[in-house]
Amino acid sequence: MATNHEPDVPANHNEDRRTFLKQSSLLTALALVPGPVVSAAEAKLDERVAEAIEQVPLSLKVNGKKLKLKVEPRTTLLDLLRENLHLTGTKKGCDYGQCGACTVHVDGQRVNSCLSFAVMHDGQEITTIEGLADGDKLHPMQEAFVKHDGFQCGYCTPGQIMSAVACVREGHAGSEEEIREYMSGNICRCGAYPNIVAAIQDVKQGGQKV
Amino acid sequence: MNAPEKKIGAPMNRVDGRQKVTGAAKYAAEYDLPNMAYAVLVGSTIAKGRLSSIDTKAAERAPGVLAVITHLNAPKAPGAKPAGKDPSQPQTVGSALQVFLDDNIRFNDQPIAVVVADTLERARFAARLVKAQYAPEKHQTNLEANKANAFLPTQAKKNPKSGAADYQRGQVDAYKTGALKLEAEYVIPTEVHHPMELQAITAHWEAPDRLTLYDKTQGTMATRRDFARQWGLPEANVKVIATYVGGAFGNALHSWPHESAAIIAAKVVNRPVKLMLTREQMFTMVGYRPYTWQKIGMSATADGKITAITHESIGQTSTYEEFVEATLGQTKMMYESPNLTTRYRLAALDVGSPIWMRGPGEATGAFALESAMDEMAFLLNLDPLEFRLRNYTNQDPEKNRPWSSKFLKECYQAGAERVGWNKRQLKPGALRDGEWLIGYGMGVGTFGAHRGSSKASAQLLPNGTVLLQSAVTDIGPGTGTAMTQIAADTLGLAPGRIRFEWGNSDFAQAPTQGGSAIVNTVGPAVQEACLALKDKLRELAAGGNSAFASAKKEDVVLADTHLTLTGNPTARAPYTDLVKQAGGTAVTVESKPSGEGQKVSMYSFSVHFAEVRVHELTGEVRVSKLISCADAGTIINEKTAGNQMKGGAVGGIGMALMEHAIIDDRFGRYVTKDLADYHVPVHADSPAVEVFFVNKPDPYVNQLGTKGIGEIATIGVAPAIANAVFNATGKRVRELPITPDKLV
């Protein structure tokens, strides 16, 4: 996988699809060839075919940085962030969209990054926990989590914070009960919930820009 | 120079808070090593039998695959031993099931192969191409069906003084002849730790005989010892790094099959290998709180004095390890009862081994004991708090020794006031708010205030910062922060001038994080290392300034740029000079228990008060108030300790109302496979838990006066909720979790 930080250029999807189809027919043809020939071709051919068809171009803006990438279509946004871009602040807690540890913002909306393929986000803007602070200055929600001790082990914390920022922006932080309801997609097994709710209320009541 | 404000007890923010809120904290699967490969496990689809054949050809040919490893081609670690030879071996860490040694299948989803590829996607795809065939044998996965085969654990057979041995005071089963008696059975289902971080390891052979593991473990030294032994390496050649651990709750107290698999995989492909389990695999191979059946018989006099208790339990274990926990511990010492009998048994099933889960056996036992206390109080028509006071122990009735400290009555009072206990009615179902029935309940918890031996090292850096190191992990309680506070007070420095580093087996040796014992054990070591550093600095300074030679270490002051003495500001030794002296400033000390503790019984105590609202039509239970009160000795950090108590209470809500891992016994396989069907508490389930600490030092456990918090935060919560549900509805649920179907 290659990353490159040059200005964004729209990917030529049509051309890519044609290449894909051509390669696919090659695969179909191979499947019709008698067994011994295939085994003679061995894994190396599989490998070359796979290399050719498994990579799809993708343009993303991640934490303000434009990226032109090539990714496998089956790579989730979460795995792209963690394994390919080394933005490991976004956590894998279940991989089924049930725990919220992988919450990021896609075009400003909170999203479970494990539940979508990276290629579905072509042209979109992703914000992860690493992109929330303004340089050395923490985001008010990050500050509030530290002040109220809104975490213990810290693993669900990036997801909680990304979700909490969205919760306030959506206007769903009006009361303790409302916060609890709209934060229930983010599990904290350490059980720091009371402190997380306190942190969100503090930010909401402080009226700072989130 | 003014003495800095005392840090012990202060609600200081965590030293690693910034790392955790910015995503900079790195967990086991987040180290970016060059040439990383990815491993995915293939699990068995039967619970018992043999692997008759395994076809790996298609997987081997899949794109990007580097290796497919099974028992047929795995390199044998020199110290590896097939499991099951002696299941009675202590299982703390060290006799985990090691993989790919033979064709035996001992539980469903046991790893039978590991596929290694250059990307995660490719490894995951290829893992699906591995085809296995089995010679299945009849399996047993149901404890209720196997109670007749329950046995006394080997450790109890060998040592009648073991906590797992049968215990007796007074007459055997005396409750049976009591005038007023109850007899009831209680069940705790299998519960799974499910820390938010999936079990993960990055294994890297830096040389053929040098192994580095970035691992999710509660004990860097225990993991190092285990894998050094497995691979026949000197311990110094194995390094275990666990700086950040994404929750564990006991699940990382043991070495597990996937760790062995990743290390073998890294050996075969000669690249660093990363292996992260799936949530589904978290059910099958990394431990759980075992399904436990219990029976309590209790008798009392009409004026509310307990005359006898018999408490029996049968816990589930695997066929290859005898997992033992202290399920009956609290019953032996919590209440006065002249006659007391306990019997602890195990039943071995074709499942993975259990492992201690927060509060461990004590939380299981407390559900039965504290429910029975509530049942007996009801029979006596007594307030359950009053009933407990009438049976309060002023010394340990098990060991006949005084308590090192016990302020449980203060906890009772504080909790009762806060929850509004005076509103509670003796008659169930007497309080309501529209369709919601309201009830109040309490549950008591206790856990041994354990203290072991630990080392800590300290050294001065040229800029005047003191660097402390310990191999201990911080799985979330705030160990790093507490140690920084202890060091700050001991050295008279602002916390910003302390750097405490942890989670590395190369650091000064420290025990595994567990059993609520870390502040008790590592805290004194850090304190003594700081004092030793002061003395070392004084000695080093004495060469250039005689005032230091005769000074006491207590008078040594670490000023901004130099060492000086109380009352003698002219004595100055610049740090830049001290650190240059031969041998450096580093000191390592070992701190051990004094032995004074042998004369007393040392326990932390807690009580939890719950107010619940139960919908009379749907049976939905909402915990509307939860008050957790603890006598845990000195509180080092009110903020992090309070958080730990709240978290334990939330865990107790899960235990009481939702957590239930279910096996389909026809296939011996879990049908709960993820967090959508194994429910844990979410924000909406959690009230604003209120915490009260007595915060009085214990005079025996250590010089800091701490007793430990982690376990008592959970022990007693589930029965408090179950008792509140009874008070609200008149329905006694003796089999957790209390789901609506049991109330309608």
Side-chain angles (χ1 to χ4, degrees), chain A residues 47 74-75 82-83 86 88 91 93 98 129 136 142 147 149 151-154 160 180 183-184 189-190 193 195, chain B residues 14 18 20-21 27 30 38 64 121 192-194 247 274 279 639 643 646-647 659 675-676 681 683-684 686:
Chain A
E47 182 76 19
R74 61 186 166 179
T75 300
R82 282 174 66 83
E83 305 302 336
H86 305 297
T88 52
K91 304 301 183 193
Q98 297 164 347
I129 191 72
D136 279 347
Q142 292 171 312
K147 176 177 153 198
D149 209 33
F151 48 82
Q152 289 175 34
C153 78
Q160 297 279 358
R180 285 192 195 120
M183 287 298 292
S184 278
R189 190 60 162 152
C190 297
Y193 296 130
N195 292 5
Chain B
R14 283 177 200 250
R18 192 182 175 94
K20 286 177 174 174
V21 300
Y27 298 80
E30 298 175 352
Y38 293 81
E121 290 80 6
V192 184
H193 309 69
H194 282 313
K274 188 191 284 193
R279 192 48 77 181
K639 189 183 283 195
N643 195 352
K646 292 174 194 175
E659 296 191 35
L675 298 171
H683 275 280
S686 168

Short mmCIF file of all heavy atoms in Angstrom, two decimals, chain A residues 47 74-75 82-83 86 88 91 93 98 129 136 142 147 149 151-154 160 180 183-184 189-190 193 195, chain B residues 14 18 20-21 27 30 38 64 121 192-194 247 274 279 639 643 646-647 659 675-676 681 683-684 686:
data_model
loop_
_atom_site.label_atom_id
_atom_site.label_comp_id
_atom_site.label_asym_id
_atom_site.label_seq_id
_atom_site.Cartn_x
_atom_site.Cartn_y
_atom_site.Cartn_z
N GLU A 47 -0.70 -14.93 -6.80
CA GLU A 47 -0.18 -13.76 -6.09
C GLU A 47 -0.17 -12.56 -7.04
O GLU A 47 -0.60 -11.47 -6.69
CB GLU A 47 1.24 -14.08 -5.62
CG GLU A 47 1.91 -12.99 -4.83
CD GLU A 47 1.39 -12.91 -3.41
OE1 GLU A 47 0.79 -13.90 -2.92
OE2 GLU A 47 1.56 -11.85 -2.81
N ARG A 74 -11.72 -4.89 0.53
CA ARG A 74 -12.26 -5.50 1.76
C ARG A 74 -11.64 -4.89 3.02
O ARG A 74 -11.93 -5.33 4.12
CB ARG A 74 -12.04 -7.01 1.73
CG ARG A 74 -10.57 -7.39 1.67
CD ARG A 74 -10.36 -8.89 1.49
NE ARG A 74 -8.97 -9.16 1.10
CZ ARG A 74 -8.48 -10.36 0.88
NH1 ARG A 74 -9.26 -11.41 1.01
NH2 ARG A 74 -7.23 -10.52 0.52
N THR A 75 -10.79 -3.90 2.85
CA THR A 75 -10.19 -3.25 4.04
C THR A 75 -11.21 -2.31 4.66
O THR A 75 -11.77 -1.44 3.99
CB THR A 75 -8.94 -2.45 3.63
OG1 THR A 75 -8.00 -3.36 3.04
CG2 THR A 75 -8.31 -1.76 4.82
N ARG A 82 -5.76 2.01 11.30
CA ARG A 82 -4.85 1.41 12.28
C ARG A 82 -3.63 0.76 11.64
O ARG A 82 -2.51 0.98 12.08
CB ARG A 82 -5.59 0.34 13.11
CG ARG A 82 -6.47 0.91 14.19
CD ARG A 82 -7.28 -0.18 14.88
NE ARG A 82 -6.45 -1.11 15.64
CZ ARG A 82 -6.01 -0.89 16.88
NH1 ARG A 82 -6.31 0.24 17.48
NH2 ARG A 82 -5.29 -1.79 17.51
N GLU A 83 -3.87 -0.06 10.62
CA GLU A 83 -2.78 -0.87 10.10
C GLU A 83 -2.00 -0.18 8.97
O GLU A 83 -0.81 -0.39 8.83
CB GLU A 83 -3.31 -2.23 9.60
CG GLU A 83 -4.10 -3.01 10.66
CD GLU A 83 -3.31 -3.29 11.93
OE1 GLU A 83 -2.08 -3.32 11.89
OE2 GLU A 83 -3.96 -3.46 13.00
N HIS A 86 -1.34 3.87 10.40
CA HIS A 86 -0.75 3.86 11.75
C HIS A 86 -1.37 4.89 12.67
O HIS A 86 -0.72 5.42 13.57
CB HIS A 86 0.77 4.01 11.68
CG HIS A 86 1.38 2.96 10.79
ND1 HIS A 86 1.31 1.62 11.08
CD2 HIS A 86 2.00 3.06 9.59
CE1 HIS A 86 1.88 0.93 10.10
NE2 HIS A 86 2.30 1.77 9.19
N THR A 88 -3.35 4.67 15.33
CA THR A 88 -3.86 3.62 16.22
C THR A 88 -4.70 4.17 17.37
O THR A 88 -5.14 3.41 18.23
CB THR A 88 -2.70 2.78 16.79
OG1 THR A 88 -1.76 3.68 17.38
CG2 THR A 88 -2.02 1.98 15.72
N LYS A 91 -9.73 2.66 17.99
CA LYS A 91 -9.53 1.31 18.56
C LYS A 91 -10.46 0.27 17.96
O LYS A 91 -11.59 0.57 17.58
CB LYS A 91 -9.78 1.36 20.07
CG LYS A 91 -8.92 2.37 20.82
CD LYS A 91 -7.43 2.12 20.64
CE LYS A 91 -6.61 3.11 21.47
NZ LYS A 91 -5.19 3.09 21.08
N GLY A 93 -12.57 -2.77 19.11
CA GLY A 93 -13.08 -3.40 20.33
C GLY A 93 -13.98 -4.57 20.02
O GLY A 93 -14.18 -5.43 20.88
N GLN A 98 -20.58 -2.82 17.59
CA GLN A 98 -21.37 -2.97 18.82
C GLN A 98 -20.78 -2.24 20.02
O GLN A 98 -21.43 -2.17 21.06
CB GLN A 98 -21.49 -4.46 19.17
CG GLN A 98 -22.24 -5.25 18.12
CD GLN A 98 -22.03 -6.74 18.25
OE1 GLN A 98 -21.14 -7.19 18.96
NE2 GLN A 98 -22.83 -7.51 17.54
N ILE A 129 -9.23 10.67 16.57
CA ILE A 129 -8.83 11.27 17.85
C ILE A 129 -7.53 12.06 17.69
O ILE A 129 -7.34 13.09 18.34
CB ILE A 129 -8.71 10.18 18.96
CG1 ILE A 129 -8.55 10.81 20.34
CG2 ILE A 129 -7.57 9.22 18.68
CD1 ILE A 129 -9.79 11.45 20.89
N ASP A 136 -0.78 21.41 20.33
CA ASP A 136 -0.58 20.97 21.71
C ASP A 136 -1.79 21.26 22.58
O ASP A 136 -1.89 20.77 23.70
CB ASP A 136 0.64 21.66 22.33
CG ASP A 136 1.92 20.99 21.90
OD1 ASP A 136 1.84 19.87 21.34
OD2 ASP A 136 3.00 21.58 22.09
N GLN A 142 -11.43 16.69 25.38
CA GLN A 142 -10.27 15.94 25.89
C GLN A 142 -9.88 16.46 27.28
O GLN A 142 -9.62 15.69 28.20
CB GLN A 142 -9.09 16.07 24.92
CG GLN A 142 -9.32 15.36 23.59
CD GLN A 142 -8.24 15.68 22.56
OE1 GLN A 142 -7.89 16.84 22.35
NE2 GLN A 142 -7.73 14.64 21.90
N LYS A 147 -9.96 16.01 33.30
CA LYS A 147 -10.37 16.64 34.56
C LYS A 147 -11.34 15.75 35.36
O LYS A 147 -11.22 15.62 36.57
CB LYS A 147 -11.02 17.98 34.24
CG LYS A 147 -11.60 18.73 35.43
CD LYS A 147 -12.17 20.09 34.98
CE LYS A 147 -13.28 20.54 35.91
NZ LYS A 147 -14.12 21.58 35.30
N ASP A 149 -11.71 12.51 34.97
CA ASP A 149 -11.24 11.12 34.97
C ASP A 149 -12.26 10.23 34.25
O ASP A 149 -12.71 9.21 34.78
CB ASP A 149 -11.03 10.64 36.41
CG ASP A 149 -9.93 9.56 36.51
OD1 ASP A 149 -8.98 9.63 35.71
OD2 ASP A 149 -10.04 8.67 37.35
N PHE A 151 -12.19 7.96 32.23
CA PHE A 151 -11.61 6.73 31.66
C PHE A 151 -10.82 6.03 32.73
O PHE A 151 -10.52 6.62 33.78
CB PHE A 151 -10.68 7.05 30.48
CG PHE A 151 -9.69 8.14 30.79
CD1 PHE A 151 -8.52 7.87 31.46
CD2 PHE A 151 -9.95 9.46 30.44
CE1 PHE A 151 -7.61 8.87 31.79
CE2 PHE A 151 -9.06 10.48 30.76
CZ PHE A 151 -7.89 10.18 31.43
N GLN A 152 -10.50 4.77 32.48
CA GLN A 152 -9.54 4.08 33.34
C GLN A 152 -8.45 3.50 32.45
O GLN A 152 -7.38 4.06 32.31
CB GLN A 152 -10.24 3.02 34.19
CG GLN A 152 -11.11 3.68 35.29
CD GLN A 152 -11.94 2.71 36.10
OE1 GLN A 152 -11.53 1.59 36.35
NE2 GLN A 152 -13.12 3.14 36.51
N CYS A 153 -8.76 2.39 31.77
CA CYS A 153 -7.71 1.79 30.93
C CYS A 153 -7.40 2.63 29.70
O CYS A 153 -6.32 2.54 29.13
CB CYS A 153 -8.09 0.36 30.53
SG CYS A 153 -9.29 0.24 29.18
N GLY A 154 -8.36 3.43 29.26
CA GLY A 154 -8.11 4.33 28.14
C GLY A 154 -8.44 3.78 26.77
O GLY A 154 -8.33 4.49 25.76
N GLN A 160 -15.11 7.22 22.87
CA GLN A 160 -16.03 7.98 23.73
C GLN A 160 -15.91 9.46 23.43
O GLN A 160 -16.93 10.18 23.35
CB GLN A 160 -15.68 7.74 25.22
CG GLN A 160 -15.82 6.32 25.72
CD GLN A 160 -17.23 5.90 26.08
OE1 GLN A 160 -18.17 6.69 26.01
NE2 GLN A 160 -17.39 4.63 26.45
N ARG A 180 -26.76 9.93 28.42
CA ARG A 180 -26.64 8.48 28.59
C ARG A 180 -27.25 7.74 27.41
O ARG A 180 -26.71 6.75 26.93
CB ARG A 180 -27.33 8.02 29.88
CG ARG A 180 -26.55 8.37 31.10
CD ARG A 180 -27.13 7.63 32.31
NE ARG A 180 -26.60 8.24 33.52
CZ ARG A 180 -27.34 8.79 34.47
NH1 ARG A 180 -28.65 8.77 34.38
NH2 ARG A 180 -26.77 9.35 35.51
N MET A 183 -25.09 8.27 24.24
CA MET A 183 -23.72 7.75 24.35
C MET A 183 -23.73 6.23 24.52
O MET A 183 -22.67 5.62 24.70
CB MET A 183 -22.98 8.40 25.53
CG MET A 183 -22.57 9.85 25.30
SD MET A 183 -21.40 10.08 23.93
CE MET A 183 -19.94 9.26 24.62
N SER A 184 -24.89 5.62 24.46
CA SER A 184 -24.97 4.20 24.77
C SER A 184 -24.36 3.29 23.71
O SER A 184 -24.22 2.10 23.92
CB SER A 184 -26.42 3.78 25.07
OG SER A 184 -26.71 4.10 26.42
N ARG A 189 -15.94 -0.79 29.52
CA ARG A 189 -16.01 -1.95 30.41
C ARG A 189 -15.44 -1.63 31.79
O ARG A 189 -15.76 -2.30 32.76
CB ARG A 189 -15.28 -3.13 29.75
CG ARG A 189 -15.47 -4.46 30.45
CD ARG A 189 -16.92 -4.90 30.52
NE ARG A 189 -17.02 -6.33 30.79
CZ ARG A 189 -18.05 -6.89 31.41
NH1 ARG A 189 -19.08 -6.14 31.80
NH2 ARG A 189 -18.08 -8.18 31.61
N CYS A 190 -14.55 -0.63 31.87
CA CYS A 190 -14.06 -0.22 33.19
C CYS A 190 -15.19 0.43 33.98
O CYS A 190 -15.08 0.59 35.19
CB CYS A 190 -12.91 0.78 33.05
SG CYS A 190 -11.44 0.11 32.25
N TYR A 193 -18.57 5.33 33.25
CA TYR A 193 -19.72 6.08 32.73
C TYR A 193 -20.06 7.34 33.53
O TYR A 193 -20.28 8.39 32.94
CB TYR A 193 -20.96 5.17 32.64
CG TYR A 193 -20.84 4.02 31.68
CD1 TYR A 193 -21.16 2.71 32.07
CD2 TYR A 193 -20.44 4.22 30.36
CE1 TYR A 193 -21.07 1.65 31.19
CE2 TYR A 193 -20.35 3.14 29.47
CZ TYR A 193 -20.67 1.86 29.89
OH TYR A 193 -20.59 0.81 29.01
N ASN A 195 -18.32 9.32 35.20
CA ASN A 195 -17.34 10.39 34.98
C ASN A 195 -17.38 10.89 33.53
O ASN A 195 -17.13 12.06 33.26
CB ASN A 195 -15.94 9.89 35.32
CG ASN A 195 -15.78 9.64 36.81
OD1 ASN A 195 -16.74 9.75 37.58
ND2 ASN A 195 -14.58 9.30 37.23
N ARG B 14 -4.68 11.99 36.16
CA ARG B 14 -3.77 10.89 35.82
C ARG B 14 -2.53 11.38 35.08
O ARG B 14 -2.63 12.23 34.20
CB ARG B 14 -4.47 9.88 34.91
CG ARG B 14 -5.40 9.01 35.67
CD ARG B 14 -6.14 8.08 34.74
NE ARG B 14 -7.33 7.63 35.44
CZ ARG B 14 -7.50 6.37 35.89
NH1 ARG B 14 -6.63 5.44 35.61
NH2 ARG B 14 -8.58 6.05 36.56
N ARG B 18 -3.19 12.54 29.31
CA ARG B 18 -3.02 13.15 27.99
C ARG B 18 -2.79 12.08 26.91
O ARG B 18 -3.33 12.16 25.82
CB ARG B 18 -1.85 14.14 28.05
CG ARG B 18 -1.80 15.03 26.83
CD ARG B 18 -0.61 15.98 26.83
NE ARG B 18 -0.64 16.68 25.56
CZ ARG B 18 -1.22 17.86 25.38
NH1 ARG B 18 -1.79 18.48 26.38
NH2 ARG B 18 -1.23 18.40 24.17
N LYS B 20 -3.89 9.13 26.92
CA LYS B 20 -5.12 8.37 26.68
C LYS B 20 -6.17 9.18 25.93
O LYS B 20 -6.95 8.61 25.17
CB LYS B 20 -5.68 7.84 28.01
CG LYS B 20 -4.85 6.67 28.56
CD LYS B 20 -5.32 6.17 29.91
CE LYS B 20 -4.52 4.92 30.31
NZ LYS B 20 -4.83 4.47 31.68
N VAL B 21 -6.22 10.49 26.12
CA VAL B 21 -7.26 11.26 25.43
C VAL B 21 -6.83 11.72 24.04
O VAL B 21 -7.65 12.23 23.27
CB VAL B 21 -7.75 12.48 26.25
CG1 VAL B 21 -8.34 12.04 27.58
CG2 VAL B 21 -6.66 13.53 26.43
N TYR B 27 -1.19 0.35 22.78
CA TYR B 27 -1.57 -0.95 23.35
C TYR B 27 -0.88 -2.05 22.54
O TYR B 27 -0.23 -1.78 21.52
CB TYR B 27 -3.10 -1.07 23.35
CG TYR B 27 -3.75 0.01 24.21
CD1 TYR B 27 -3.92 1.31 23.74
CD2 TYR B 27 -4.13 -0.26 25.52
CE1 TYR B 27 -4.48 2.30 24.53
CE2 TYR B 27 -4.70 0.72 26.33
CZ TYR B 27 -4.87 2.01 25.82
OH TYR B 27 -5.42 2.98 26.62
N GLU B 30 -0.41 -2.18 18.71
CA GLU B 30 -0.29 -0.87 18.09
C GLU B 30 1.15 -0.42 17.89
O GLU B 30 1.42 0.74 17.62
CB GLU B 30 -1.09 0.15 18.92
CG GLU B 30 -2.57 -0.23 18.92
CD GLU B 30 -3.45 0.63 19.81
OE1 GLU B 30 -2.92 1.47 20.56
OE2 GLU B 30 -4.67 0.45 19.72
N TYR B 38 0.81 -10.68 9.93
CA TYR B 38 -0.44 -10.78 10.70
C TYR B 38 -0.84 -12.24 10.84
O TYR B 38 -0.78 -13.00 9.87
CB TYR B 38 -1.55 -10.00 9.98
CG TYR B 38 -1.29 -8.52 9.97
CD1 TYR B 38 -0.42 -7.95 9.05
CD2 TYR B 38 -1.89 -7.69 10.91
CE1 TYR B 38 -0.16 -6.59 9.05
CE2 TYR B 38 -1.64 -6.33 10.93
CZ TYR B 38 -0.77 -5.79 10.00
OH TYR B 38 -0.52 -4.44 10.02
N GLY B 64 -0.46 -13.72 -0.44
CA GLY B 64 0.11 -13.06 0.73
C GLY B 64 0.39 -13.97 1.90
O GLY B 64 0.94 -13.51 2.91
N GLU B 121 -6.09 -8.66 6.15
CA GLU B 121 -7.19 -9.13 5.29
C GLU B 121 -6.82 -10.48 4.66
O GLU B 121 -7.66 -11.38 4.56
CB GLU B 121 -7.48 -8.11 4.18
CG GLU B 121 -8.12 -6.82 4.67
CD GLU B 121 -7.13 -5.83 5.27
OE1 GLU B 121 -5.90 -6.09 5.21
OE2 GLU B 121 -7.57 -4.81 5.85
N VAL B 192 -18.08 -13.35 31.14
CA VAL B 192 -16.82 -13.15 30.41
C VAL B 192 -16.30 -11.73 30.69
O VAL B 192 -17.08 -10.78 30.69
CB VAL B 192 -17.02 -13.39 28.90
CG1 VAL B 192 -15.70 -13.28 28.16
CG2 VAL B 192 -17.65 -14.77 28.67
N HIS B 193 -14.99 -11.63 30.90
CA HIS B 193 -14.39 -10.34 31.26
C HIS B 193 -14.67 -9.26 30.21
O HIS B 193 -15.01 -8.14 30.55
CB HIS B 193 -12.87 -10.47 31.39
CG HIS B 193 -12.40 -11.58 32.27
ND1 HIS B 193 -12.55 -12.91 31.95
CD2 HIS B 193 -11.78 -11.56 33.47
CE1 HIS B 193 -12.03 -13.64 32.93
NE2 HIS B 193 -11.57 -12.84 33.86
N HIS B 194 -14.45 -9.62 28.96
CA HIS B 194 -14.64 -8.68 27.85
C HIS B 194 -14.08 -7.28 28.08
O HIS B 194 -14.82 -6.29 27.99
CB HIS B 194 -16.13 -8.59 27.48
CG HIS B 194 -16.60 -9.75 26.66
ND1 HIS B 194 -15.90 -10.23 25.57
CD2 HIS B 194 -17.67 -10.55 26.79
CE1 HIS B 194 -16.52 -11.27 25.07
NE2 HIS B 194 -17.60 -11.50 25.79
N GLY B 247 -7.77 -2.64 29.67
CA GLY B 247 -8.69 -3.36 30.55
C GLY B 247 -8.32 -4.84 30.56
O GLY B 247 -7.71 -5.35 29.63
N LYS B 274 1.76 -9.97 14.51
CA LYS B 274 0.71 -9.37 15.33
C LYS B 274 -0.50 -10.28 15.30
O LYS B 274 -0.91 -10.72 14.23
CB LYS B 274 0.36 -8.01 14.72
CG LYS B 274 -0.57 -7.17 15.55
CD LYS B 274 -1.08 -5.97 14.76
CE LYS B 274 -0.03 -4.88 14.61
NZ LYS B 274 -0.65 -3.61 14.12
N ARG B 279 -13.77 -10.76 18.89
CA ARG B 279 -14.63 -10.74 20.08
C ARG B 279 -15.19 -12.15 20.33
O ARG B 279 -15.33 -12.58 21.46
CB ARG B 279 -15.74 -9.70 19.87
CG ARG B 279 -16.55 -9.33 21.08
CD ARG B 279 -15.76 -9.00 22.32
NE ARG B 279 -15.12 -7.71 22.39
CZ ARG B 279 -14.39 -7.30 23.42
NH1 ARG B 279 -14.21 -8.07 24.48
NH2 ARG B 279 -13.80 -6.13 23.41
N LYS B 639 -9.73 10.71 43.27
CA LYS B 639 -10.39 10.74 41.96
C LYS B 639 -10.30 9.37 41.26
O LYS B 639 -11.31 8.82 40.85
CB LYS B 639 -9.70 11.81 41.09
CG LYS B 639 -10.42 12.11 39.79
CD LYS B 639 -9.68 13.12 38.94
CE LYS B 639 -9.87 14.54 39.44
NZ LYS B 639 -9.45 15.55 38.44
N ASN B 643 -13.23 6.50 40.89
CA ASN B 643 -13.56 5.98 39.56
C ASN B 643 -13.53 4.45 39.57
O ASN B 643 -14.42 3.78 39.02
CB ASN B 643 -12.53 6.53 38.57
CG ASN B 643 -12.94 6.39 37.12
OD1 ASN B 643 -13.93 5.75 36.80
ND2 ASN B 643 -12.16 6.97 36.23
N LYS B 646 -16.65 3.19 41.24
CA LYS B 646 -17.81 3.33 40.36
C LYS B 646 -17.79 2.23 39.29
O LYS B 646 -18.81 1.62 38.98
CB LYS B 646 -17.80 4.70 39.66
CG LYS B 646 -18.02 5.87 40.61
CD LYS B 646 -17.86 7.20 39.86
CE LYS B 646 -17.74 8.36 40.86
NZ LYS B 646 -17.46 9.64 40.20
N GLY B 647 -16.59 1.99 38.75
CA GLY B 647 -16.46 0.98 37.70
C GLY B 647 -16.81 -0.41 38.20
O GLY B 647 -17.46 -1.20 37.50
N GLU B 659 -25.29 -10.17 32.36
CA GLU B 659 -24.19 -10.96 31.79
C GLU B 659 -24.45 -12.46 31.90
O GLU B 659 -24.72 -12.98 32.98
CB GLU B 659 -22.88 -10.57 32.47
CG GLU B 659 -22.55 -9.12 32.17
CD GLU B 659 -21.16 -8.71 32.58
OE1 GLU B 659 -20.24 -9.53 32.47
OE2 GLU B 659 -21.01 -7.55 33.01
N LEU B 675 -20.99 -8.76 21.49
CA LEU B 675 -21.57 -7.88 22.51
C LEU B 675 -23.04 -7.54 22.22
O LEU B 675 -23.67 -6.84 23.00
CB LEU B 675 -20.73 -6.60 22.63
CG LEU B 675 -19.29 -6.85 23.08
CD1 LEU B 675 -18.46 -5.57 22.98
CD2 LEU B 675 -19.23 -7.39 24.50
N ALA B 676 -23.56 -8.07 21.12
CA ALA B 676 -24.99 -7.90 20.88
C ALA B 676 -25.79 -8.98 21.58
O ALA B 676 -26.95 -8.78 21.92
CB ALA B 676 -25.28 -7.93 19.38
N PRO B 681 -23.10 -3.64 30.72
CA PRO B 681 -23.76 -2.35 30.96
C PRO B 681 -23.27 -1.27 29.99
O PRO B 681 -22.08 -1.19 29.69
CB PRO B 681 -23.36 -1.99 32.39
CG PRO B 681 -22.99 -3.29 33.03
CD PRO B 681 -22.40 -4.12 31.93
N HIS B 683 -23.96 3.11 28.90
CA HIS B 683 -24.25 4.38 29.61
C HIS B 683 -25.66 4.38 30.20
O HIS B 683 -25.86 4.77 31.35
CB HIS B 683 -24.14 5.55 28.63
CG HIS B 683 -22.75 6.08 28.45
ND1 HIS B 683 -22.17 6.94 29.36
CD2 HIS B 683 -21.83 5.90 27.48
CE1 HIS B 683 -20.94 7.26 28.94
NE2 HIS B 683 -20.72 6.64 27.79
N ALA B 684 -26.64 3.94 29.39
CA ALA B 684 -28.04 4.04 29.82
C ALA B 684 -28.36 3.13 31.01
O ALA B 684 -29.38 3.30 31.66
CB ALA B 684 -28.96 3.73 28.66
N SER B 686 -26.33 2.79 33.58
CA SER B 686 -25.49 3.16 34.72
C SER B 686 -25.95 4.46 35.38
O SER B 686 -25.92 5.51 34.77
CB SER B 686 -24.05 3.31 34.22
OG SER B 686 -23.27 3.91 35.20
#
